[in-house]
Amino acid sequence: MRKLALSTVLALAVVACGDRPLSYGDPNSIIAVMAPELWEDVGDDVYGALEPTIRTVRNEKTFTVTFQDPTGAEWPNLRRFRQLLLVGTGEEPWMMEALAEVEEEMTGPGLWRARDVWSLGQQVTIVRLSSADAGDELRQYLAEINTTLDEQYRSYARNRMYQTGVDTALADTLMRTSRFELFVPNVYRWSRQDSIFVFRNDNPDPAELIRQIAVTWSSPIPPDMEGEGILEWRAELAQSYGEPQEVDLTNVDAGPFEFRGQPAYEIQAIWKNPPELNWPAAGPFITRAVICGQQNRMYLLDAWLYAPGKEKYEYMIQLETILDTFRCGPG
């Protein structure tokens, strides 16, 4: 059984108003609450479904699941966690408390959601089973639960990124002067060198965290630009980054897709410093080549992350979100 750090378990939330304290815990930490006998049956399946890995410098779990017996001594504190997964028949006292906060009309067993059950800012996913030992019934919901939790986490990451506001003035300037649009948070700095645009956030310290997006284009549209050709183009672009970057394709994910009705190609892999440099550095990158037919341009968008010792999923969602705001203007 996995255990939380004692300091986390015993941490008390600050009372915000009334008798409900603020929720605490990381937004990608999930407390799975059910009877121990049921957990013995489904625990491995829950881990497998709710702790998928993503591609960063190494495989990284998107969520961390911790089991909690609702009759255990730690439950009064852990029930204040930000993310809870409750599983039961609805007859248990803790299930009844949560189900009372569900706004939808419940007609029987199923998947339900509630907010702020035991703390403010809390999101509770509830699986109501037809019987206490219905492990197979729970398994049918695991994929949907993962999708729900991932959507909630992506919303959290996007909202947190844009807390400083959106630089709409910059987006207008880009469209007016260079015929493309990108919406970055106000905290990002930007620079231009000929047809290369760089948008960078290295707060609080570039030695700890860098999020960067670069945009450039080629006109006329290159023929058959895929795979190796895009990586060669990225290598040319990376020469403007200050520090050289090599590409590690060990765990690459690449392929064509449609972006805003235009043909596009995406590559996700790892960048790293050349071995001859005195200090090692690496991180994930997302490179997109997007055709803008009305301009007779192919755009190259390159987003990369440097976050040593940090979980990277939130930052990758942020970079992906910014890339998704790209739009090319009229011809």
Side-chain angles (χ1 to χ4, degrees):
M1 184 185 302
R2 303 184 184 188
K3 296 290 186 180
L4 292 177
L6 183 61
S7 59
T8 302
V9 171
L10 299 180
L12 295 177
V14 176
V15 174
C17 62
D19 58 355
R20 288 189 185 182
L22 290 173
S23 59
Y24 65 94
D26 295 330
N28 61 342
S29 293
I30 304 166
I31 306 300
V33 184
M34 63 190 77
E37 312 83 61
L38 179 60
W39 179 255
E40 286 293 325
D41 179 26
V42 302
D44 289 342
D45 296 297
V46 173
Y47 285 139
L50 303 188
E51 293 187 339
T53 57
I54 62 164
R55 181 181 306 100
T56 61
V57 178
R58 58 189 61 83
N59 284 338
E60 177 182 309
K61 293 187 295 185
T62 57
F63 298 98
T64 300
V65 177
T66 301
F67 166 68
Q68 173 59 36
D69 179 353
T71 64
E74 297 172 351
W75 171 240
N77 280 325
L78 290 184
R79 70 180 183 177
R80 299 175 182 173
F81 241 66
R82 186 183 309 227
Q83 291 280 8
L84 296 181
L85 169 63
L86 307 184
V87 183
T89 63
E91 304 300 322
E92 305 87 349
W94 43 277
M95 283 286 288
M96 294 175 65
E97 289 182 60
L99 290 171
E101 301 296 329
V102 175
E103 297 181 357
E104 305 168 82
E105 181 180 355
M106 289 177 293
T107 57
L111 182 61
W112 312 94
R113 298 168 187 84
R115 302 178 67 89
D116 303 339
V117 177
W118 291 286
S119 60
L120 299 177
Q122 185 176 65
Q123 294 178 319
V124 182
T125 302
I126 307 167
V127 182
R128 188 176 183 182
L129 302 176
S130 58
S131 63
D133 58 351
D136 289 339
E137 190 176 345
L138 171 60
R139 291 183 180 93
Q140 296 176 8
Y141 293 110
L142 290 178
E144 184 178 354
I145 292 170
N146 178 64
T147 298
T148 297
L149 293 173
D150 192 64
E151 289 175 350
Q152 291 174 350
Y153 186 74
R154 286 177 174 272
S155 178
Y156 158 83
R158 289 190 293 265
N159 291 338
R160 187 179 180 195
M161 176 179 64
Y162 284 121
Q163 278 182 343
T164 61
V166 183
D167 197 340
T168 55
L170 172 59
D172 292 341
T173 298
L174 294 173
M175 181 61 77
R176 185 177 65 253
T177 62
S178 304
R179 297 192 293 165
F180 75 89
E181 188 174 69
L182 198 71
F183 289 94
V184 299
N186 280 323
V187 73
Y188 274 66
R189 307 189 314 276
W190 74 284
S191 61
R192 176 181 182 177
Q193 182 178 357
D194 297 325
S195 62
I196 297 176
F197 294 76
V198 174
F199 310 87
R200 182 181 176 102
N201 180 3
D202 53 17
N203 294 307
D205 183 342
E208 298 178 3
L209 180 61
I210 301 173
R211 286 156 284 183
Q212 180 169 305
I213 301 99
V215 179
T216 190
W217 64 82
S218 178
S219 182
I221 297 172
D224 303 323
M225 180 66 78
E226 292 187 356
E228 291 184 6
I230 294 174
L231 289 175
E232 291 175 1
W233 193 5
R234 183 192 187 274
E236 295 175 7
L237 177 62
Q239 293 177 10
S240 66
Y241 291 169
E243 293 288 347
Q245 292 186 2
E246 293 183 349
V247 171
D248 183 350
L249 301 179
T250 303
N251 200 15
V252 66
D253 185 14
F257 70 108
E258 186 177 285
F259 182 77
R260 296 186 183 272
Q262 301 277 13
Y265 197 94
E266 180 176 279
I267 301 172
Q268 293 191 35
I270 305 301
W271 67 267
K272 60 182 181 180
N273 279 352
E276 61 268 19
L277 292 186
N278 293 329
W279 56 280
F285 73 84
I286 306 172
T287 296
R288 291 179 179 177
V290 180
I291 290 177
C292 187
Q294 65 270 32
Q295 295 181 358
N296 196 23
R297 286 179 177 179
M298 176 182 282
Y299 284 89
L300 185 71
L301 292 77
D302 183 54
W304 58 272
L305 172 69
Y306 176 63
K310 292 182 171 64
E311 294 181 345
K312 298 172 179 58
Y313 188 39
E314 176 183 352
Y315 302 125
M316 293 302 292
I317 292 172
Q318 294 178 359
L319 292 176
E320 186 181 63
T321 298
I322 295 174
L323 291 178
D324 287 344
T325 69
F326 173 81
R327 184 171 67 90
C328 57

